[in-house]
Amino acid sequence: MTARSRARHAKPSTTVPTLAAVGMTASIVTVGITATASAASAATASDFAQLRQCESGGNYRINTGNGYYGAYQFALGTWRGLGYAGRPDLASPATQDAAAAKLQARSGWGQWPACSRKLGLGSGGTSTAVSTTQERVTERASRSSQRTAIAPAAPKVVRAKATPTTPPVFIGKPLTVADADTFRIGARMWQARMADRGWKIAVDGYFGPQSARVAKAFAAQRDLDQAGLPGEVDKVVWNAAWQLPVS
């Protein structure tokens, strides 16, 4: 949500084709207004409430250090392209809501691809059409590649820079491979923390086989007495990722 970095929209051409009849011009203008009004009315407060819950757990102040901020996980380039200053997570909830509505009205629900698909936003003719950027295509291809190119060997710690700190509130439901195809903000937070601790892991919010192997190896390495099954992230494994020193 998750919102990602986007290219600026191309500047509209100043060359206007000449229409053969005034009636045709009026007809096209009328259709354009109707389409715009329909698109604007398609998005509801409930849609945005579901969207921010999916993207960030509804946390307007979230900043996990992955380059995306706030309840709607805006990238700074997108945020500033919408005309806002500062960082999204430091803006008021009302400002973030307004920015999300502005982006959706301009470019559609596809600006949040994973969550819009999960929630069914944009399906059934209920939202605006979306022009998918090359960056999004590349991002999804990279995510798919990360999932299919997982080596069977246990992950190795290759770097370490994290220091002990207070863990975020546990997400409640343990992270398991049962949700491998479901984006979860908790999975992305845990993956980012484990990457900071030096584990080789994709930070994409999808808790697949690679994440499970990291969880199992980490629990064994630190001799954690977890309540869940090996390879799951329960409260013990979650807290340890933030509280235990890197060794």
Side-chain angles (χ1 to χ4, degrees):
M1 145 128 124
T2 48
R4 301 288 187 270
S5 176
R6 303 171 186 82
R8 292 182 181 273
H9 291 276
K11 182 177 180 181
S13 172
T14 56
T15 303
V16 180
T18 302
L19 299 179
V22 174
M24 185 181 297
T25 303
S27 175
I28 291 176
V29 170
T30 301
V31 170
I33 293 174
T34 301
T36 301
S38 174
S41 63
T44 67
S46 176
D47 291 336
F48 287 107
Q50 293 181 73
L51 177 64
R52 61 179 176 266
Q53 187 65 33
C54 176
E55 286 288 337
S56 66
N59 186 351
Y60 285 94
R61 297 302 181 195
I62 192 168
N63 173 14
T64 62
N66 63 352
Y68 305 104
Y69 307 89
Y72 300 95
Q73 291 291 275
F74 282 109
L76 287 180
T78 301
W79 179 256
R80 289 167 185 170
L82 291 168
Y84 297 94
R87 275 205 334 247
D89 59 309
L90 301 180
S92 68
T95 299
Q96 292 184 49
D97 290 342
K102 184 176 181 180
L103 180 60
Q104 191 280 332
R106 186 180 75 181
S107 304
W109 293 113
Q111 299 299 308
W112 301 272
C115 284
S116 64
R117 285 196 303 272
K118 175 183 176 182
L119 299 171
L121 298 174
S123 62
T126 58
S127 70
T128 56
V130 178
S131 175
T132 305
T133 66
Q134 183 60 41
E135 183 175 351
R136 285 197 175 284
V137 173
T138 302
E139 179 183 357
R140 287 197 293 271
S142 175
R143 178 187 297 163
S144 176
S145 175
Q146 288 169 342
R147 291 185 190 173
T148 57
I150 298 171
K156 302 298 183 182
V157 178
V158 295
R159 61 189 174 85
K161 62 182 181 181
T163 55
T165 185
T166 302
V169 176
F170 179 59
I171 39 27
K173 177 184 176 184
L175 300 172
T176 74
V177 291
D179 293 331
D181 294 323
T182 301
F183 175 86
R184 294 184 63 182
I185 186 63
R188 188 164 66 183
M189 293 170 67
W190 184 82
Q191 290 166 341
R193 180 61 179 178
M194 293 306 291
D196 284 343
R197 291 183 66 93
W199 294 86
K200 187 175 181 180
I201 186 171
V203 183
D204 60 3
Y206 292 85
F207 194 88
Q210 184 193 50
S211 295
R213 282 200 298 275
V214 169
K216 181 177 180 180
F218 175 62
Q221 179 194 81
R222 306 313 297 263
D223 196 22
L224 300 179
D225 185 18
Q226 62 183 118
L229 297 173
E232 295 183 356
V233 176
D234 61 4
K235 189 172 183 179
V236 172
V237 178
W238 174 274
N239 288 343
W242 277 271
Q243 292 176 333
L244 295 183
V246 176
S247 61

